[in-house]
Amino acid sequence: MYVSRNMEQWNEFLNLLRKAFEQGKEQELLTLLLTADERDAVGLRVQIVSQLLNKSLAQREIQQNLNTSAATITRGSNMIKIMPPEFMDWVKEQLNNEDKAN
């Protein structure tokens, strides 16, 4: 699993994010901390993971559909491979539920 270069800062961020969600302030916090481009990049990563987990398209098709680089798709694919399968099942379930809600 990925380990941040500075675990103390990463854990501080996670705790702040957790508190923001508990208090309904996640939108404001993420807007404060992330630029518009960074927020777009996070959204793109979610789409990449969703399409990779769906397994209905080849990575090249995902790359073309999302207008991104092959390296970005490969990074997403490699992260999926090293994450615990139970967690990836949970992610897939969450993404499927989100798709049904929209």
Side-chain angles (χ1 to χ4, degrees):
M1 184 187 296
Y2 170 77
V3 177
S4 174
R5 288 178 226 160
N6 185 326
M7 287 304 294
E8 186 176 327
Q9 286 180 347
W10 179 244
N11 286 326
E12 184 178 338
F13 167 70
L14 292 178
N15 287 330
L16 182 60
L17 189 59
R18 191 174 296 114
K19 288 177 187 174
F21 272 88
E22 288 169 358
Q23 298 175 23
K25 298 184 183 305
E26 66 275 6
Q27 186 74 253
E28 294 93 334
L29 179 64
L30 292 172
T31 299
L32 172 69
L33 297 177
L34 302 173
T35 66
D37 287 344
E38 290 166 334
R39 291 189 303 271
D40 288 347
V42 170
L44 176 62
R45 290 292 173 98
V46 171
Q47 291 304 307
I48 290 168
V49 168
S50 179
Q51 290 191 26
L52 287 168
L53 290 174
N54 190 6
K55 297 182 181 178
S56 65
L57 298 173
Q59 288 187 19
R60 181 116 174 113
E61 290 176 282
I62 295 170
Q63 174 194 352
Q64 292 169 342
N65 289 346
L66 297 177
N67 195 29
T68 192
S69 71
T72 302
I73 303 298
T74 300
R75 275 193 299 277
S77 177
N78 289 340
M79 286 306 296
I80 288 171
K81 291 175 188 171
I82 66 170
M83 298 303 289
E86 307 81 32
F87 174 72
M88 294 314 305
D89 289 343
W90 177 85
V91 169
K92 186 173 183 177
E93 181 180 323
Q94 301 312 304
L95 292 170
N96 287 340
N97 288 342
E98 185 68 25
D99 288 343
K100 290 176 187 174
N102 291 328

